[in-house]
Amino acid sequence: MGYIFILFAVWIYALFIRRKGYILAAIAFAWMAYLGGTASPFGTFDYIDYQVIYNRTAMGIDTRTEWLYTSLSKIAINRGLYYNQFRIILIVCIFILLYIAVVRLTKKPIYVAAFFMIVPFFQEVTQVRSFAAYTIVLLGISFLDTLSIKKIVFYYMINFLAMGFHTSAGIFLILPLVQYAIEKNGIDKSIRFSIWVSVLLASCMYLLSKGTFVVNLISRFVEMIAGSTVATTFSTLMSVSRGSKSYFLIIYVAYLVLALLISVKGKDALIYVKYLGLYAGFIITFALTPILLISTQFNRLQRYGFELAMIILVVMWSKARIADAKLRLVIVCLVTTVLACAFYGVFTNGDTFRTSIPYLMHWIGYTN
């Protein structure tokens, strides 16, 4: 019941009190850290997989996880920690970094907490490594308010740490370049360009998802470059959730609505210039939405793009008139509902993940 109580408290505060809500947001993030860190191993999706990886690391077996996650696991193992203890510490640290990043990027973290508790909390604490990676990227973005050499180098150092948890964070190495393009061309033109890129990419991805010969050919090249293990992983990934057109269309339309809101209201550079890194990250994830046509396993990027969009809109609400803020709030609530249904297993992840949500809320199996 704790999750429901805090969820209602956060939303009531956000909707009717309309203050910054630093303390309540901190409580919400702390509660989410507790829920995710102490989730039951018997009903939580991916928990056992992570536990097996941890135990294999303890036995000195190569687990193919990224270097920083592996190093932290080894430190915990050397300290005599079990996986459930390591998980609690890791997820608490992630939420601390997330809260710091959110507070640096917006003056109203209560809104971010409100949306995060609905989407994408449950999947993020399930896919822990990508959650850590993208949180670190978000922290890096909070330091990239200007494109000075010093800040770009610092951002890349942070991004390197993010890639130590999940390799996919490497896509955000191009973020300073995209941010530079936004500064030169404006947010509106940049988003329109990303739409054209996504349409072109969608055509390519659809053909790739249908072509077994093409997938096998690429697998051969991957094997030559990176070895048979990586090639097998690539082939397996390409074979999962092929032809997920319905899922892709729902996510894509939701992103178009968010992009429209951001594009229309994002022209005032005097107000929003400090947050161009958020726009850049959103544009990158939006342009890459068509990779869902290959596999819904890539939806972690789209979840992250949604988080960036939420922070952008929170920044806008803090600058907008009450009437405009309420209108955007209604629209984004509808989009949030659609994304919640999509991300939480209507079209992907299957029954196993859906049944794990009560365990993550601690309605069922609240002790380890």
Side-chain angles (χ1 to χ4, degrees), residues 150-346:
K150 180 180 179 181
K151 291 187 176 181
I152 291 175
V153 171
F154 185 67
Y155 169 78
Y156 279 131
M157 291 172 60
I158 292 178
N159 192 279
F160 175 72
L161 294 177
M163 292 171 63
F165 281 97
H166 204 278
T167 308
S168 63
I171 191 64
F172 296 103
L173 290 172
I174 66 173
L175 189 142
L177 180 62
V178 176
Q179 182 171 334
Y180 176 78
I182 294 173
E183 290 181 358
K184 292 298 181 182
N185 302 313
I187 297 164
D188 189 37
K189 289 183 179 179
S190 299
I191 287 181
R192 287 205 301 268
F193 179 75
S194 70
I195 293 175
W196 282 106
V197 171
S198 65
V199 170
L200 178 62
L201 185 60
S203 302
C204 297
M205 293 298 100
Y206 181 74
L207 293 175
L208 180 59
S209 67
K210 291 295 183 180
T212 304
F213 172 77
V214 177
V215 172
N216 291 337
L217 183 63
I218 295 176
S219 296
R220 292 292 181 87
F221 281 108
V222 171
E223 184 176 3
M224 291 171 59
I225 297 171
S228 59
T229 302
V230 179
T232 301
T233 303
F234 173 80
S235 299
T236 302
L237 188 61
M238 294 303 102
S239 66
V240 176
S241 304
R242 282 193 183 182
S244 306
K245 295 185 289 296
S246 299
Y247 183 71
F248 159 71
L249 288 174
I250 288 174
I251 300 298
Y252 193 71
V253 170
Y255 265 72
L256 282 175
V257 173
L258 293 174
L260 178 62
L261 286 173
I262 292 171
S263 177
V264 170
K265 292 294 182 181
K267 296 178 182 179
D268 192 348
L270 293 176
I271 295 177
Y272 306 121
V273 66
K274 184 178 180 180
Y275 305 96
L276 289 183
L278 293 172
Y279 289 112
F282 174 78
I283 286 175
I284 291 170
T285 57
F286 177 63
L288 291 176
T289 304
I291 63 177
L292 292 173
L293 287 169
I294 294 180
S295 172
T296 57
Q297 299 296 310
F298 290 115
N299 68 17
R300 69 191 76 222
L301 276 174
Q302 279 61 53
R303 292 201 312 272
Y304 185 59
F306 173 74
E307 294 168 39
L308 294 176
M310 290 301 97
I311 297 174
I312 292 170
L313 291 172
V314 167
V315 174
M316 292 180 179
W317 290 337
S318 66
K319 304 290 184 179
R321 295 176 302 171
I322 294 177
D324 290 340
K326 285 185 176 180
L327 176 61
R328 282 201 291 277
L329 184 61
V330 170
I331 295 174
V332 174
C333 281
L334 293 174
V335 174
T336 302
T337 302
V338 172
L339 289 172
C341 293
F343 284 138
Y344 289 156
V346 174

Side-chain angles (χ1 to χ4, degrees), residues 1-279:
M1 292 298 294
Y3 171 84
I4 298 298
F5 175 78
I6 292 181
L7 179 65
F8 272 99
V10 167
W11 272 99
I12 289 172
Y13 193 99
L15 291 174
F16 299 106
I17 299 179
R18 292 180 56 80
R19 294 181 181 176
K20 296 178 181 179
Y22 286 107
I23 296 177
L24 185 55
I27 292 173
F29 279 116
W31 190 254
M32 285 187 282
Y34 163 74
L35 294 178
T38 61
S40 169
F42 305 108
T44 303
F45 193 57
D46 269 3
Y47 190 111
I48 299 300
D49 292 337
Y50 275 110
Q51 192 171 44
V52 169
I53 290 173
Y54 188 83
N55 292 338
R56 286 170 62 89
T57 301
M59 293 184 289
I61 302 173
D62 182 20
T63 59
R64 292 170 46 213
T65 54
E66 287 77 2
W67 69 271
L68 185 52
Y69 181 84
T70 301
S71 298
L72 292 176
S73 298
K74 289 180 179 179
I75 292 174
I77 291 166
N78 291 334
R79 295 281 182 176
L81 299 181
Y82 294 106
Y83 172 71
N84 62 330
Q85 297 169 313
F86 170 69
R87 177 186 174 93
I88 293 172
I89 295 171
L90 178 60
I91 290 183
V92 166
C93 290
I94 295 171
F95 272 100
I96 290 173
L97 293 178
L98 179 61
Y99 181 75
I100 293 172
V102 167
V103 169
R104 287 179 56 85
L105 291 165
T106 176
K107 295 180 180 179
K108 292 191 175 181
I110 192 68
Y111 283 108
V112 179
F115 283 112
F116 195 90
M117 289 191 76
I118 300 176
V119 179
F121 163 65
F122 295 112
Q123 279 196 324
E124 294 293 20
V125 295
T126 297
Q127 297 177 322
V128 178
R129 289 186 299 118
S130 61
F131 180 30
Y134 298 151
T135 298
I136 294 172
V137 171
L138 185 65
L139 184 64
I141 291 174
S142 73
F143 290 95
L144 202 61
D145 53 342
T146 59
L147 290 177
S148 65
I149 299 298
K150 180 180 179 181
K151 291 187 176 181
I152 291 175
V153 171
F154 185 67
Y155 169 78
Y156 279 131
M157 291 172 60
I158 292 178
N159 192 279
F160 175 72
L161 294 177
M163 292 171 63
F165 281 97
H166 204 278
T167 308
S168 63
I171 191 64
F172 296 103
L173 290 172
I174 66 173
L175 189 142
L177 180 62
V178 176
Q179 182 171 334
Y180 176 78
I182 294 173
E183 290 181 358
K184 292 298 181 182
N185 302 313
I187 297 164
D188 189 37
K189 289 183 179 179
S190 299
I191 287 181
R192 287 205 301 268
F193 179 75
S194 70
I195 293 175
W196 282 106
V197 171
S198 65
V199 170
L200 178 62
L201 185 60
S203 302
C204 297
M205 293 298 100
Y206 181 74
L207 293 175
L208 180 59
S209 67
K210 291 295 183 180
T212 304
F213 172 77
V214 177
V215 172
N216 291 337
L217 183 63
I218 295 176
S219 296
R220 292 292 181 87
F221 281 108
V222 171
E223 184 176 3
M224 291 171 59
I225 297 171
S228 59
T229 302
V230 179
T232 301
T233 303
F234 173 80
S235 299
T236 302
L237 188 61
M238 294 303 102
S239 66
V240 176
S241 304
R242 282 193 183 182
S244 306
K245 295 185 289 296
S246 299
Y247 183 71
F248 159 71
L249 288 174
I250 288 174
I251 300 298
Y252 193 71
V253 170
Y255 265 72
L256 282 175
V257 173
L258 293 174
L260 178 62
L261 286 173
I262 292 171
S263 177
V264 170
K265 292 294 182 181
K267 296 178 182 179
D268 192 348
L270 293 176
I271 295 177
Y272 306 121
V273 66
K274 184 178 180 180
Y275 305 96
L276 289 183
L278 293 172
Y279 289 112

